[in-house]
């Protein structure tokens, strides 16, 4: 049973527009959420995170929103750039000793110029 | 600063052969993880370790064994490789502190024929 779900396998956006990637989770114990970006033939790289005590975290063009009641988070990229084209993974964890990150299946973002 | 290094980067095995994937990190991280990535399946946790000498099972541990004899190294073993273990394997590490990201290696592409 998937604990972290990314229901959109792919997303296509034009350069300059907003990209919104969504993620849902089922485990109410999760209290730390991360987004990773992955290019082909490379390892995932950390992008941005949010703790459950916040509902928004912003870093440059990237903003993550968390809706705890809906068990939903989203990543907004504004403006989108062709270099943002990659697979984006949502991950979640329980912030206590002995737990690991649980990942969703990923969403492939394509930004066209 | 090398970060997380995986050895080898590519390998082809015959069914029934054994091999060990090596992960080394130079960040003095306590936690280390092994994930596999398959098309449409995202990143699935195989095994992880919260410290030297300790290991734990993840989501898909069957057919794999691990060892963490030294803090900086985490080994993933396949005793008798099967075609279902054809995948890209990623190692990651993270600090012990709460709300921290994991750093990934470049991956090992394993094909079992």
């Amino acid at each position: 049973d998937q604990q972290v779900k990314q229901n959109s396998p792919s997303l296509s956006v034009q350069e300059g527009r907003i990209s919104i990637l969504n993620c849902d989770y089922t485990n109410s114990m999760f209290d730390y959420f991360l987004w990773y970006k992955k290019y082909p033939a490379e390892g995932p790289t950390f992008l941005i995170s949010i703790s459950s005590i916040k509902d928004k975290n912003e870093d440059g063009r990237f903003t993550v929103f968390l809706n705890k009641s809906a068990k939903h988070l989203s990543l907004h990229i504004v403006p989108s750039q062709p270099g943002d084209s990659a697979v984006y993974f949502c991950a979640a964890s329980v912030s206590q000793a002995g737990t690991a990150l649980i990942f969703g299946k990923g969403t492939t973002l394509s930004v066209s110029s | 600063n090398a970060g997380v290094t995986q050895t080898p980067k590519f390998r082809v095995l015959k069914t029934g052969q054994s091999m060990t994937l090596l992960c080394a990190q130079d960040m003095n991280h306590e936690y280390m993880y092994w994930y596999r990535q398959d098309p449409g399946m995202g990143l699935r946790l195989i095994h992880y370790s919260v410290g030297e000498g300790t290991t734990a099972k993840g989501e898909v541990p069957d057919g794999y064994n691990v060892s963490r004899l030294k803090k900086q190294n985490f080994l993933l073993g396949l005793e008798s490789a099967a075609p279902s273990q054809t995948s890209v394997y990623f190692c990651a590490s993270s600090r012990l502190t709460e709300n921290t990201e994991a750093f990934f290696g470049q991956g090992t592409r394993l094909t079992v024929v």
Side-chain angles (χ1 to χ4, degrees), chain A:
Chain A
D1 187 27
Q2 272 191 282
Q3 298 187 68
V4 179
K5 301 178 183 179
Q6 294 178 257
N7 293 320
S8 298
S10 63
L11 175 67
S12 294
V13 173
Q14 283 192 323
E15 182 178 7
R17 306 295 290 269
I18 185 171
S19 295
I20 300 176
L21 294 91
N22 294 303
C23 178
D24 298 295
Y25 61 96
T26 58
N27 188 341
S28 58
M29 296 295 291
F30 288 147
D31 57 5
Y32 186 57
F33 305 90
L34 308 89
W35 286 94
Y36 278 79
K37 178 178 181 179
K38 185 184 180 305
Y39 292 118
E42 295 184 9
T45 55
F46 170 73
L47 190 58
I48 192 169
S49 64
I50 188 166
S51 166
S52 60
I53 61 174
K54 296 184 177 180
D55 55 16
K56 175 183 175 181
N57 189 26
E58 191 172 357
D59 184 2
R61 296 185 297 114
F62 303 91
T63 303
V64 56
F65 296 91
L66 176 63
N67 182 333
K68 289 186 290 293
S69 61
K71 293 190 178 68
H72 177 83
L73 63 155
S74 61
L75 174 68
H76 293 209
I77 306 174
V78 183
S80 301
Q81 300 174 354
D84 295 329
S85 297
V87 179
Y88 289 79
F89 290 102
C90 172
S93 72
V94 179
S95 58
Q96 62 186 36
T99 63
L101 291 177
I102 303 299
F103 284 82
K105 292 185 177 182
T107 297
T108 300
L109 174 66
S110 299
V111 181
S112 57
S113 55

Side-chain angles (χ1 to χ4, degrees), chain A residues 32 34 36 38 41-44 46 51 89 95-105, chain B residues 31 33 35 37 40-43 45 48 50 59 90 98-106:
Chain A
Y32 186 57
L34 308 89
Y36 278 79
K38 185 184 180 305
E42 295 184 9
F46 170 73
S51 166
F89 290 102
S95 58
Q96 62 186 36
T99 63
L101 291 177
I102 303 299
F103 284 82
K105 292 185 177 182
Chain B
Y31 290 6
Y33 318 85
Y35 290 89
Q37 184 192 11
M41 299 298 292
L43 291 160
L45 182 66
Y48 64 103
V50 300
E59 302 170 70
F90 289 101
E98 294 182 353
N99 295 353
T100 183
E101 70 271 25
F103 295 82
F104 281 80
Q106 292 283 76

Side-chain angles (χ1 to χ4, degrees), chain B residues 34-68:
Chain B
W34 277 106
Y35 290 89
R36 59 178 288 175
Q37 184 192 11
D38 302 291
M41 299 298 292
L43 291 160
R44 292 184 294 170
L45 182 66
I46 304 172
H47 285 280
Y48 64 103
S49 169
V50 300
E52 184 178 325
T54 69
T55 62
K57 293 181 180 180
E59 302 170 70
V60 288
D62 295 341
Y64 305 95
N65 57 76
V66 288
S67 64
R68 183 102 181 265

Side-chain angles (χ1 to χ4, degrees), chain B residues 19-21 34 63-67 75-80 85:
Chain B
M19 80 162 293
T20 300
L21 282 67
W34 277 106
Y64 305 95
N65 57 76
V66 288
S67 64
L75 278 62
L76 178 70
L78 287 74
E79 291 185 348
S80 179
Q85 294 178 305

